[in-house]
C-alpha cells in the first residue's frame, strides 16, 4: 500500500503532469498574491464591516452596518468570512475578507474542468481550465470581498455534480445537488439555484430522461434541500425575533421583484451582448468563433455539445429577460463559455473557422513577444518621460517601474521561445492541437498575475488615499479628545468609514436622504447640543456643499479638522468624493485652513 501511494505521488509530480502543476500554481498566484494589500473599496466594505460587527456584538445571525440591521444579502456569505476570521482571532482584515472569494474562484476552475473532463476528456478539460483561468473577470471578482464568485462557484459545482451522477436515481446524488444549490442561494441570490436547475432541465429534455427522475427519492431530496435553504432564516428567526422575516422579504425583493419590476440597476435588453464579451476578455474573439462553429456544425454536434450550446443560450436569455442588470450577474455563464471555446480550439476543422483561430493565436503570441520587448524598455522610457511629469511618483511605484519590467519581459520572451520551439511529440503540452494555445494561455496567466498581484496592489496602496486618511483620522480624533459617542456622519454614505474607523458603537447619522432644510436643522442641533464637548461630523466634500445657510457654512469653514488630501496626479473633480471632518471645541492648532465652499 505504501509503495502504491509513493508511486501515485511521484506520478502526479511527473513531467507529464507539468501543465496541471503549472496551472494550479499560477491559479494560486493569481488569486492569492498580495491579496490583502489593496484597500477595501466599493461593495467590499459591506461584507468587511458586517462581519467585523458580528464579532463585536457576538450576534452572527443579524447582519449590521454601523450597528443598524442590514439584510440586503443572504447571510451565508458573511459566515464564510467569519469562519476565516476565526483563524485570525476574530479580526477581519482585507485578506481574511477576500479569502472566500479566492477559494471560490479555485472551486469554479475545478468544477469547470470536472464538467469538461467527464464529458469530453482531459484535453478539453485542460484547455477549458486555462481559458477560464486567464479571463480577466475570474481574477477581478475572485479577489474581491463580495459574494459574486461564491455564487458562481456553487452554481458550477452543482452542475459538475449532476454531470458526474446524472444516470443515478438514488437519494444521495439528488440531495447533494440540492444542497449545493441551497448553499449557493444563501451566498448571493436565487441565480445560484436558477442557473444549475435550468442547465439540468436542458439536459433532461434533450435526452428525454426526465421521467426516470420523477421518483420519491427525488422529491424527498428536494424537500430536504428546500428546508436546508430556509434553515438560515429559521436560525435568524430563533435568534432575532422581530427581524426574523427581513431576510425572506429581501430574497423576494432582490430576486423576484428585481427580475420582473426592477426598482434599481435597470438595464436594456441588449446589455449582456456588451457585458459577456467584456467578461470573457482576452478570449472573446475565440468565443464568438466558437459560437459560430457550434451553429455551423449543429447537425454534427454530439448530444452533450448541443446541451452545452443550448445551456449557454438559455442562461443568456434568462439574464437578458431580467429587468435588472449588472455586469457581474451573468458570471455563472463563463465556465460553459470556456468549455465551448475549448471544444472549438481542440476540434481540427477545415475552412475559414480553422484558419481564423490559427491566425488569432499567432497574433496573440506575437503580441506577448512584442509586449515583452516593450516592457524591457519601460525603465529607459520612464527616465526620458518623467521629466514631463509635474510630480514625483511614490517610491514603491518607482521601484515597480524600474524593478518589475526586467523579469516580466524576459519571462514573456522565454515563454514565446519555449512554446514556439517545442516539438510536435512533446506530449505534456499537446493537450490542445492549436500549438499557439499553451504559450498564449501561460503568458496570459503570467501577465494577469503581474497586473492583479503586483501592479494594482502597489498602485492602490500608493495612490488611493481613503484607507490611509480614515486610519489617520481615527488616531487624530482620539488625540483631540473626540470620543466615539461624539462622532456623527452627515449622510448615510458610511460603510467604508464604519469598517476602517472600527468604532464599537452606533454612530449617529444626521441625514439619510438629504431632506434639504431638515439636514441643516439636524446639523445645527448637533452642534448646539455639543456644548463644550469636542465633537466631529464626517462627510464628503460634495455632501458638505449641500449646506446653503450662510451662518452654518461659516461655522463649517472655520472648524475644518481634517481633509482627505487631493494628490497632484488626481483630477480636481476627485475632490468631491474626498472626506472632510468638521470638529468643534478642539484646539486651534488642530484646525485646517481648507476651503470647502467657493
Amino acid at each position: 500500500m505504501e509503495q502504491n501511494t509513493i508511486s501515485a505521488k511521484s506520478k502526479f509530480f511527473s513531467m507529464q503532469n507539468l501543465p496541471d502543476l503549472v496551472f494550479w500554481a499560477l491559479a494560486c498566484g493569481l488569486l492569492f498574491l498580495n491579496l490583502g494589500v489593496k484597500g477595501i473599496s466599493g461593495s467590499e466594505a459591506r461584507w468587511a464591516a458586517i462581519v467585523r460587527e458580528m464579532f463585536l456584538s457576538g450576534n452572527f445571525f443579524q447582519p449590521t452596518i454601523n450597528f443598524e440591521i442590514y439584510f440586503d444579502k443572504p447571510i451565508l456569505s458573511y459566515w464564510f468570512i467569519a469562519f476565516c476570521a476565526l483563524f485570525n482571532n476574530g479580526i477581519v482584515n482585507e485578506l481574511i475578507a477576500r479569502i472566500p472569494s479566492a477559494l471560490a474562484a479555485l472551486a469554479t476552475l475545478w468544477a469547470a474542468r470536472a464538467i469538461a473532463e467527464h464529458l469530453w476528456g482531459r484535453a478539453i478539460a485542460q484547455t477549458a481550465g486555462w481559458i477560464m483561468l486567464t479571463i480577466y473577470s475570474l481574477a477581478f471578482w475572485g479577489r474581491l470581498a463580495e459574494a459574486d464568485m461564491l455564487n458562481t462557484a456553487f452554481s458550477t459545482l452543482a452542475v459538475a455534480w449532476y454531470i458526474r451522477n446524472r444516470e443515478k436515481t438514488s437519494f444521495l446524488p439528488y440531495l447533494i445537488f440540492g444542497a449545493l444549490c441551497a448553499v449557493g442561494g444563501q451566498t448571493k441570490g436565487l441565480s445560484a439555484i436558477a442557473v444549475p436547475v435550468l442547465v439540468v432541465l436542458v439536459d433532461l429534455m434533450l435526452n428525454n430522461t426526465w421521467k426516470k427522475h420523477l421518483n420519491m427519492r427525488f422529491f424527498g431530496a428536494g424537500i430536504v434541500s428546500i428546508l436546508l435553504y430556509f434553515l438560515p432564516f429559521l436560525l435568524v428567526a430563533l435568534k432575532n425575533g422581530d427581524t426574523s422575516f427581513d431576510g425572506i422579504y429581501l430574497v423576494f425583493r432582490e430576486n423576484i421583484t428585481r427580475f420582473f419590476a426592477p426598482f434599481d440597476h435597470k438595464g436594456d435588453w441588449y446589455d449582456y451582448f456588451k457585458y459577456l464579451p467584456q467578461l470573457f476578455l482576452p478570449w472573446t474573439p475565440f468565443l464568438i468563433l466558437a459560437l459560430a462553429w457550434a451553429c455551423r456544425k449543429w447537425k454534427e454536434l454530439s448530444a452533450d455539445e448541443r446541451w452545452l450550446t443550448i445551456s449557454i443560450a438559455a442562461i443568456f436569455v434568462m439574464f437578458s429577460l431580467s429587468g435588472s442588470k449588472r455586469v457581474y450577474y451573468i458570471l455563472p455563464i463563463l465556465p460553459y463559455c470556456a468549455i465551448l471555446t475549448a471544444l472549438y480550439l481542440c476540434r481540427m476543422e477545415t475552412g475559414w473557422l480553422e484558419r481564423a483561430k490559427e491566425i488569432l493565436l499567432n497574433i496573440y503570441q506575437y503580441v506577448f513577444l512584442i509586449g515583452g520587448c516593450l516592457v524591457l524598455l519601460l525603465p529607459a522610457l520612464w527616465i526620458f518621460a518623467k521629466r514631463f511629469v509635474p510630480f514625483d511618483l511614490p517610491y514603491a511605484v518607482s521601484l515597480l517601474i524600474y524593478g518589475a519590467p526586467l523579469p516580466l519581459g524576459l519571462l514573456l520572451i522565454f515563454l514565446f521561445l519555449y512554446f514556439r520551439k517545442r516539438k510536435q511529440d512533446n506530449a505534456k503540452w499537446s493537450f490542445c492541437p492549436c500549438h499557439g494555445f499553451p504559450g498564449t494561455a501561460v503568458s496570459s496567466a503570467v501577465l494577469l498575475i503581474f497586473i492583479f498581484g503586483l501592479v494594482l496592489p502597489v498602485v492602490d496602496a500608493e495612490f488611493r488615499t481613503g484607507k490611509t486618511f480614515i486610519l489617520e483620522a481615527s488616531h487624530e480624533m482620539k488625540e483631540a479628545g473626540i470620543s466615539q459617542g461624539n462622532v456623527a456622519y452627515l449622510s448615510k454614505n458610511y460603510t467604508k468609514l464604519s469598517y476602517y474607523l472600527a468604532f464599537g458603537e452606533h454612530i449617529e447619522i444626521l441625514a439619510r436622504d438629504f431632506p434639504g432644510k431638515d439636514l441643516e436643522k439636524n446639523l445645527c442641533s448637533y452642534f448646539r447640543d455639543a456644548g463644550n464637548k469636542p465633537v466631529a461630523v464626517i462627510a464628503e466634500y460634495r455632501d458638505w456643499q449641500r449646506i446653503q445657510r450662510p451662518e452654518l457654512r461659516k461655522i463649517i469653514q472655520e472648524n475644518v479638522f481634517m481633509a482627505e488630501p487631493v494628490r497632484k496626479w488626481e483630477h480636481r473633480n476627485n475632490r468631491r468624493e474626498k472626506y472632510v471632518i468638521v470638529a468643534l471645541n478642539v484646539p486651534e492648532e488642530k484646525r485646517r485652513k481648507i476651503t470647502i465652499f467657493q
Side-chain angles (χ1 to χ4, degrees):
M1 176 67 76
E2 185 176 353
Q3 289 180 346
N4 291 338
T5 303
I6 295 173
S7 176
K9 288 182 179 179
S10 62
K11 184 178 180 182
F12 177 77
F13 289 101
S14 66
M15 289 298 292
Q16 192 63 32
N17 282 328
L18 180 63
D20 284 343
L21 295 173
V22 172
F23 174 86
W24 290 113
L26 291 176
C28 290
L30 177 61
L31 294 166
F32 289 98
L33 180 62
N34 289 326
L35 184 60
V37 173
K38 185 173 176 287
I40 291 291
S41 62
S43 297
E44 286 186 299
R46 299 178 191 173
W47 277 267
I50 285 171
V51 181
R52 185 188 74 85
E53 292 182 15
M54 282 181 170
F55 278 97
L56 285 176
S57 65
N59 187 348
F60 292 86
F61 298 93
Q62 185 167 272
T64 62
I65 297 178
N66 189 30
F67 299 95
E68 295 180 351
I69 295 172
Y70 187 91
F71 265 113
D72 278 19
K73 296 293 181 289
I75 201 167
L76 207 59
S77 59
Y78 309 129
W79 288 354
F80 283 124
I81 297 174
F83 177 77
C84 294
L86 291 175
F87 299 93
N88 194 40
N89 297 320
I91 298 172
V92 184
N93 55 29
E94 291 90 341
L95 174 62
I96 293 297
R98 292 172 181 147
I99 284 177
S101 287
L103 293 175
L106 288 179
T108 303
L109 288 172
W110 180 89
R113 286 172 56 116
I115 294 169
E117 184 169 3
H118 186 79
L119 295 179
W120 295 285
R122 189 181 181 196
I124 302 298
Q126 289 178 299
T127 305
W130 280 104
I131 293 171
M132 191 68 194
L133 172 65
T134 51
I135 55 176
Y136 97 94
S137 49
L138 182 91
F140 185 86
W141 273 278
R143 294 176 64 96
L144 288 181
E146 300 178 12
D148 301 287
M149 193 52 66
L150 286 165
N151 183 76
T152 302
F154 280 101
S155 172
T156 314
L157 285 167
V159 175
W161 175 261
Y162 166 76
I163 291 298
R164 285 175 171 258
N165 298 276
R166 60 181 172 177
E167 300 302 324
K168 298 179 181 179
T169 58
S170 54
F171 178 80
L172 186 60
Y174 293 140
L175 178 61
I176 293 178
F177 174 82
L180 288 170
C181 290
V183 174
Q186 281 288 352
T187 60
K188 175 73 174 180
L190 294 182
S191 64
I193 300 173
V195 170
V197 168
L198 181 63
V199 169
V200 168
L201 284 175
V202 170
D203 183 70
L204 294 176
M205 298 304 291
L206 281 178
N207 294 309
N208 197 27
T209 56
W210 59 274
K211 291 182 181 179
K212 74 175 184 179
H213 293 290
L214 294 179
N215 54 63
M216 294 305 297
R217 295 177 294 277
F218 167 79
F219 288 108
I223 292 171
V224 174
S225 299
I226 292 171
L227 293 175
L228 182 62
Y229 174 76
F230 282 101
L231 179 60
F233 297 120
L234 175 62
L235 295 175
V236 168
L238 294 174
K239 180 72 176 180
N240 299 323
D242 292 341
T243 63
S244 59
F245 294 105
D246 288 4
I248 296 176
Y249 164 71
L250 284 167
V251 167
F252 183 84
R253 179 176 182 269
E254 294 290 322
N255 293 271
I256 309 302
T257 303
R258 191 189 289 277
F259 187 96
F260 293 101
F263 45 86
D264 62 0
H265 302 342
K266 298 178 182 179
D268 297 313
W269 65 270
Y270 53 79
D271 278 354
Y272 289 119
F273 285 97
K274 300 180 296 182
Y275 294 157
L276 180 56
Q278 173 189 332
L279 290 170
F280 209 68
L281 289 171
W283 299 103
T284 303
F286 295 94
L287 173 60
I288 296 171
L289 290 170
L291 292 169
W293 165 79
C295 293
R296 186 180 181 187
K297 298 285 185 179
W298 182 257
K299 293 182 179 180
E300 302 172 26
L301 295 182
S302 67
D304 289 331
E305 289 163 353
R306 292 185 182 185
W307 161 77
L308 178 65
T309 307
I310 294 175
S311 294
I312 292 172
I315 296 170
F316 188 87
V317 169
M318 182 188 75
F319 282 105
S320 296
L321 288 175
S322 171
S324 180
K325 294 180 176 67
R326 276 292 184 266
V327 62
Y328 47 81
Y329 288 174
I330 204 169
L331 283 174
I333 202 175
L334 297 181
Y336 309 102
C337 293
I339 297 171
L340 181 66
T341 306
L343 286 168
Y344 164 65
L345 288 173
C346 292
R347 293 286 193 269
M348 300 302 293
E349 302 289 344
T350 57
W352 67 272
L353 284 170
E354 184 66 23
R355 291 194 299 272
K357 68 183 177 185
E358 294 291 349
I359 292 170
L360 274 174
L361 282 171
N362 278 326
I363 292 173
Y364 275 41
Q365 286 186 95
Y366 280 101
V367 165
F368 282 112
L369 174 63
I370 295 169
C373 295
L374 292 176
V375 165
L376 290 175
L377 298 175
L378 184 60
L381 293 173
W382 175 246
I383 291 173
F384 172 77
K386 69 178 182 179
R387 68 186 69 179
F388 302 106
V389 179
F391 53 83
D392 293 328
L393 288 179
Y395 175 75
V397 177
S398 298
L399 188 63
L400 185 68
I401 292 174
Y402 289 120
L406 180 62
L408 176 64
L410 290 177
L411 183 54
L412 290 176
I413 294 171
F414 166 76
L415 290 172
F416 174 84
L417 296 175
Y418 172 77
F419 287 103
R420 195 74 175 174
K421 296 292 185 181
R422 69 184 182 88
K423 295 181 179 179
Q424 195 78 2
D425 59 350
N426 191 349
K428 59 179 177 291
W429 288 104
S430 295
F431 50 86
C432 181
C434 294
H435 299 304
F437 176 78
T440 300
V442 177
S443 298
S444 298
V446 168
L447 183 60
L448 287 173
I449 290 172
F450 174 75
I451 294 172
F452 284 96
L454 290 176
V455 174
L456 292 181
V458 170
V459 169
D460 180 270
E462 296 297 330
F463 283 89
R464 288 182 58 210
T465 56
K467 174 183 176 180
T468 304
F469 172 76
I470 296 171
L471 294 176
E472 181 184 355
S474 177
H475 173 74
E476 290 295 326
M477 285 191 291
K478 289 178 182 177
E479 290 291 314
I482 303 173
S483 63
Q484 294 181 21
N486 295 323
V487 177
Y489 300 138
L490 186 64
S491 74
K492 199 177 178 179
N493 184 19
Y494 55 72
T495 308
K496 186 168 72 172
L497 280 170
S498 293
Y499 172 69
Y500 279 121
L501 287 174
F503 288 155
E505 59 188 54
H506 172 73
I507 302 302
E508 183 178 355
I509 302 167
L510 301 182
R512 295 178 180 272
D513 300 309
F514 289 104
K517 295 181 180 179
D518 288 342
L519 165 62
E520 298 180 351
K521 178 182 177 182
N522 294 343
L523 184 59
C524 286
S525 298
Y526 186 78
F527 285 158
R528 184 175 57 251
D529 295 342
N532 295 322
K533 297 182 299 184
V535 297
V537 180
I538 309 175
E540 295 179 345
Y541 271 98
R542 59 186 174 183
D543 294 337
W544 284 115
Q545 289 170 348
R546 294 173 184 264
I547 305 297
Q548 298 299 319
R549 290 170 57 176
E551 64 275 16
L552 193 53
R553 283 190 166 205
K554 182 180 178 182
I555 294 173
I556 293 168
Q557 189 65 71
E558 292 175 351
N559 291 277
V560 175
F561 179 72
M562 291 185 71
E564 187 178 347
V566 180
R567 302 285 176 82
K568 294 179 180 179
W569 51 78
E570 292 184 282
H571 194 277
R572 288 186 63 183
N573 289 339
N574 290 356
R575 184 186 188 192
R576 297 180 68 252
E577 299 179 1
K578 300 284 187 176
Y579 291 112
V580 177
I581 302 176
V582 173
L584 269 61
N585 306 318
V586 297
E588 183 68 29
E589 62 271 15
K590 293 286 186 180
R591 297 174 184 171
R592 305 288 198 275
K593 301 297 181 182
I594 297 172
T595 301
I596 297 179
F597 307 105
Q598 302 300 326

